[in-house]
Structures are given as structure tokens and as C-alpha cells.
Amino acid sequence: MTALMRYHAALLVRSQRWLPPFLLYAAFLAISIQAGQPVLDSLGYTAAALLPVAAWLARICVTGEPDAARGCVAAAAGPARAHVACLLVALAGATALGTLAILAVTLLSDPVASDHRTRVPLAAACGAGLLAALACALLGTAVGALTSRPLLRSPGRAVPALLLAALLSLVATGSPAQAAVQGLVTGSRQGEVPLPLLPLAAAALLTAAALALAGALASRRSP
């Protein structure tokens, strides 16, 4: 699996298809996040914006390999393992991006609650932001896995499905991403740092199920 992930990571880096989602994420943060804003609010925005980026990155990884190369890798390592490996690369990329963004936003933000008077512990806020970002990266990867091949092959169906699923994952009640982000926003209003462990665990379970389903279907359907 490690060799497969290195192979897919090299393909992703050389293709430069990761640049649009990374640049869009950076532009969103540059516009939305300003120095001196309450730290938990800023971290909530940062984590939420990572979900569609993770979904986009998963789709890029799944569709970026040439058909001939995909067939060779599937024959050598197995289609399920090869497919899951490229999704794990997307998850790793989104997690790394989210970690850097959370650290940068933490340093730029003011360690206060929404009232700008109640102090918020910066280290604890950063930890909560990292957990929320990981939950969003996981759920975004799941969205990308379920709206790309082998489940949806046509871009005309896959792309709208990805956008709709990413939106619902952020706003629907009961979504792990919505719970993690809402926890940060509520914590900012109350002057308390949340610990979104339950949303993170739920996101991890959903993502594991999505990757297992995608891998199982990849082993049954030709590339």
C-alpha cells in the first residue's frame, strides 16, 4: 500500500491538477479570514472550507491516472487496493493542507470569544480546529469517493453530485462536518473550546465505509 500511495502521490504532484483546489482554498481564506478575528470563528470557517477541497482532490486523484496505467496497476496490485490508495493520497493531501491552514489561522487570530472580551486558550483552540479540519477532510474524501468512478463515471452526473453532497455535508443536521464546525462557532459564542471527538469518529467511520464500498466496486468493474 505504501508503494501504491507513493506512486499516486507522484502522479498527483506531477500533474499539477492539485493547484486549482489549493489556490481556491487559499483565496477563500485570504478573503474570509482577517487578523484579529475571534480564533474559534476563524477556525470554523477554515475547517468548513476544507471539505469541498478534499472532495475535489479525491476526484482529481481518482480520475487523473491514464486508463492504460490504471489497468497495469490494478493487474499488479489489485483494483481495490489501487483505488483505495489513490483516495488515501487525496486524504493525506487534504489533511496536510488543512493542518497548515489551521496553524496559520491560529497565529493570525485573536484568542478571544465572539464578544471580544472572554479569553480563549490558544493551544486548545488550535487542537479543536485541527480535529474539526480532520473531520471535514475525512468527510470530503468520502464525498469524493462516492461521486467519482467507479460509482459515477459521467462527469455530467459526478460533478453536480459532488457539489450537492459537499454542500449537504456542511449544512445538514447530523452531518459530522456540520457538527464539528458548529461546535467551534458555538464554543466561540460561549467562550469555551469544544472537543469534536464524536464528529471526528463519525466522519472516520463514514469515510472507511465509503472507501470500502468504492474499493469493492472497483474490483468488480473494469476501469
Side-chain angles (χ1 to χ4, degrees):
M1 185 63 76
T2 302
L4 284 172
M5 290 182 65
R6 284 201 297 264
Y7 164 72
H8 284 292
L11 281 180
L12 177 65
V13 172
R14 285 201 301 266
S15 71
Q16 297 186 355
R17 296 178 66 196
W18 53 271
L19 275 174
F22 276 41
L23 292 177
L24 182 62
Y25 186 57
F28 173 83
L29 295 183
I31 294 172
S32 303
I33 308 298
Q34 298 179 359
Q37 289 181 330
V39 61
L40 290 175
D41 289 331
S42 297
L43 292 175
Y45 288 122
T46 304
L50 184 64
L51 193 152
V53 172
W56 190 356
L57 196 60
R59 176 167 177 78
I60 288 173
C61 289
V62 168
T63 60
E65 191 178 12
D67 289 340
R70 183 181 300 108
C72 291
V73 173
R81 294 180 71 235
H83 192 76
V84 171
C86 71
L87 291 171
L88 291 177
V89 167
L91 174 60
T95 302
L97 177 63
T99 299
L100 292 175
I102 290 293
L103 294 176
V105 168
T106 301
L107 294 176
L108 288 173
S109 302
D110 197 6
V112 294
S114 296
D115 59 10
H116 292 274
R117 293 189 302 272
T118 306
R119 303 297 294 180
V120 172
L122 199 59
C126 181
L130 288 172
L131 292 178
L134 179 56
C136 289
L138 282 165
L139 203 57
T141 303
V143 167
L146 296 177
T147 56
S148 302
R149 66 168 71 192
L151 284 86
L152 296 178
R153 294 177 178 271
S154 170
R157 295 180 179 178
V159 173
L162 184 150
L163 295 174
L164 179 60
L167 177 62
L168 291 176
S169 298
L170 286 173
V171 303
T173 302
S175 164
Q178 191 272 343
V181 172
Q182 186 61 43
L184 292 175
V185 175
T186 303
S188 183
R189 294 172 183 168
Q190 298 175 348
E192 299 176 354
V193 178
L195 196 61
L197 293 178
L198 186 58
L200 177 60
L205 289 175
L206 288 173
T207 304
L211 266 60
L213 175 61
L217 290 178
S219 66
R220 296 181 182 181
R221 302 180 183 181
S222 59

